[in-house]
Amino acid sequence: MIDQYVLGLEEIGESQVGIGEIGESQVGSGEIGDSRVGSGEIGDARVGSGENGEIGGIGGVVGGKGAHLGALSRIDGVDVPAGFCVTTDAFRQTLAQEPSIDVRLDQLSRLDPDDREAIRTLSAEIRETIEGITIPGDIASAITSTLTRLGDQAAYAVRSSATAEDLPTASFAGQQDTYLNVVGRTAILRHVSRCWASLFTERAVIYRQQNGIDHRSVHMAVVVQQMVFPYASGILFTADPVTGNRNVATVDAGFGLGEALVSGLVNPDVFTVRHGEVVGKTIAAKQRAVHALPSGGTQEVAVDSQRQKQPTLTDAQVVRLVQLGRRIETHFGRPQDIEWCLVDDGFRIVQTRPITTLFPIPEVDDRENHIYVSVGHQQMMTDPMKPLGLSVWQLTAMVPMHEAGGRLFVDVTRRLASPASRAGLLDLMGRGDPLVRDALETVLDREDFVLSLPDTGPGGPPGAPRSVGSSKSGTPGTPGKAGKPTVGGASAPIENDPAVVTELIERSQASIAALERDIRTKTGPALFDFLLEAFAEHKRVLSDPLSFQAIMAGMEATWWLNDHLQEWLGEIEKNAADTLTLSAPGNITSEMGLALLDVADVVRPHAEVVAFLQDVKDEDFLEELANIAGGAEARDAIEAYLDRYGMRCVGEIDITRPRWRERPTTLVPVILDNVRNFAPGAAQRRFEEGRQEALKKERDVLSRLRALPDGDQKADETKRMIDRVRTFIGYREYPKYGIVSRYFIYKQALLAEAERLVQAGVLSEKEDVFYLTFQEFHDVVRSHQVDDRLIQRRKDAFRSYQALTPPRVLTSDGEAVTGAYRRDDVPAGALVGLPVSAGTIEGRARVILDMADADLQTGDILVTSYTDPSWSPLFVGIAGLVTEVGGLMTHGAVIAREYGLPAVVGVEQATRLIRDGQRIRVHGTNGYIEILS
């Protein structure tokens, strides 16, 4: 019988019958130890969940911990100590007796999350009030009568189980309290109240605020479970929590109760298991343990010196425990963090929760090994994308892409398997991002992971993707070369003629104009049919052989200059192309940054306009601006800028991200920085200064080359390469501009269709379509029916993806391979990265994660996660650049060179290791950053 206030663990389990099957169907296999367990996390992070994401829907009644224990109790061969759960109904009924709690919750919701002192004080008051409430008689009676059936003189563990903990997408582990070895009815009732109160510990309150969870939406259940007095206990991770490898399990073990491990009292023994075999172990000196007292409570005890360095478990026990863990993992459909106890050579499971920090694995329909390279690291957009953004990018990409964790990846396994294509891919990856190359080589060094295929020619095996994305072209999946980049584009001859670039741009503009014209009359299902045709045209434009030749001509000329000038003229000419490309003509992205300086020139003379912009908050500010003296002129300048660049934004490869035209306030801080930091005419002056510096460098290099043996030949060849790089390197940015221009047209049409669905009562708000794929959106338009629960699950999953850090390289085992810089030329303590723009600069670090928060002074060094083209307007006002993501030919690197900014990219955790306001020295030639005192 199910009680309103108390549920037995088996009753909880019965209410969830079938959830294991749901989990297994998402995993793709019910086999224990399946190397692909967890891959089903991708499509829907909460498959099998209830209304609020809790397992089987019961989580809203018994919380995450209670729901998982109930499910565990139904798994054959899993021994779970007997117990029951005091439901959230009991929690709500008890708190309803004290109205002052509502008042305090209102106060708590209004507190600044950074005001720790106020949070500490108010949360303590709430806890004290809850602990002081007398548990209503009917609730107390339900608890004590259940204790009588189980044995009210036995010892129990009393554990908090909140409705928002242990979800597939978030872990609140350690946020609330657990009490061990509680004896007697009175003590148990008291500790139930203490668990309820622990919902408002300072750490729990702050965690909820940081994760955007309303305090009123979370309720507390309490698990009361018969105490286990173990010989040993610990934690089992069914996937490696550090690397993410799903084939590797780790076991932490110590003597006595697990509190010794959780509290950090002892270092545990650590066992590593792979494919049913212990492949590594570290045996710690376990000097202390926690044991239960006969009268209740626990105490620390010293471990006998002869036992301290003995293994807590035998290898056979470890393997048996991992097998048990695989069974639990298969039932829940994803890797688990499992708390276990060893009693009389039998394992008792006292808790399991999903490991929420693992990056998901792309879903495939085979059981082969795969190596994936991140598209986001090439596109300078490592944030998660919403489903509509993912599907549109996939539909317009030139190679197949796989989705995982809201990011896109390209499978490079076949290219790596073929010796003919492997060298070319590694060389291309190494030139762009050495960390990617090193990560790929790390996996290849494991000779059993990728088996070599027979060579079928220089292009590799049939059907192999010839690129991993678009880092080298600005286009999604532009084919790359199979071998080492050729000198001067010899494998793809192209005339060194600016008219080639002009023709390519005119072609792109004509195609975009036709798209904009033809899409206006399309609505309903006809719009989606039209868009599929538009996507085909999109790919046709991107695959234009002439466009690819122009891009490669500029890039290969850059590589040629850097390689040969350093070889011929010595270390002093390292990265010489960085200066030779200053103010290269025709770069749409660098022009975008300079154009905002011109906007500042229009704003600067009008004090009222400047004052008005300093207080702008609403997106319709341009309408009001015209009413101020000088405002009409300023508005026209901003509008003209938006007409040319308003389709851009941070993360612009995701069609769902707000564009500058939709959110023009994003540009206001940058305009004001330009007003403050620059004199009139700065744009033209900066461009001309860069051009003259490049010409001076060219004259100097050619003069010194002619003094060498065979100097005239070297100088002539170098001159051809300089002309080539200045002709074509600017065009490298244009295809991305074309993509984003098209995306904005697609988006406007799709949002108009979404608005019609809102008017018809099908959708609550038009942005809900962002959480549908393109095909799902199409289906909704046809049927006028939408699954609101699917949209909510997608929103929850997207929120969880934001907490994940995508790897550069990911294997089908789930291992995130980071790669490393193999260098010995960096000073001790320096942060290592990839040099992409020469020079050395010292200044104040400004750590900025959102362009809208920019507040830069002359001489500042921008430190951020990544920079796509939308960040370029900031580049005119900084002295140097440091990013966590980037490559030699990614957008930020190209623009940094054109502006002459010393830049180092690919600096792991730069935004965490460098504090805002610190003085740093950026060595853009040698690729490292010194943090100065």
Side-chain angles (χ1 to χ4, degrees), residues 142-157:
I143 295 171
T144 55
S145 62
T146 306
L147 284 170
T148 298
R149 288 198 299 272
L150 289 176
D152 53 11
Q153 294 307 307
Y156 290 86

Side-chain angles (χ1 to χ4, degrees), residues 508 512 538 542 733-743:
S508 176
I512 291 170
H538 184 126
L542 295 182
E733 291 291 300
Y734 199 86
K736 182 70 171 288
Y737 177 77
I739 291 172
V740 177
S741 297
R742 289 175 178 277
Y743 268 24

Side-chain angles (χ1 to χ4, degrees), residues 834-893:
L834 177 66
V836 296
S837 186
T840 301
I841 193 69
E842 182 180 318
R844 179 181 66 157
R846 294 309 316 272
V847 180
I848 299 173
L849 302 180
D850 186 339
M851 180 177 161
D853 296 332
D855 181 14
L856 297 165
Q857 300 288 341
T858 303
D860 283 348
I861 297 169
L862 174 63
V863 180
T864 190
S865 300
Y866 62 82
T867 59
D868 60 9
S870 70
W871 286 76
S872 298
L874 292 184
F875 285 21
V876 299
I878 59 176
L881 174 68
V882 178
T883 68
E884 294 177 335
V885 176
L888 190 62
M889 282 295 169
T890 48
H891 304 278

Side-chain angles (χ1 to χ4, degrees), residues 428 431 471-473 485 549-561 725 728-729 732 889:
L428 201 61
R431 286 182 178 273
S471 68
K472 305 301 178 284
S473 67
Q549 290 171 359
I551 292 165
M552 290 306 300
M555 290 169 54
E556 290 177 349
T558 300
W559 296 334
W560 189 95
L561 288 167
V725 79
F728 293 114
I729 199 65
R732 179 257 180 275
M889 282 295 169

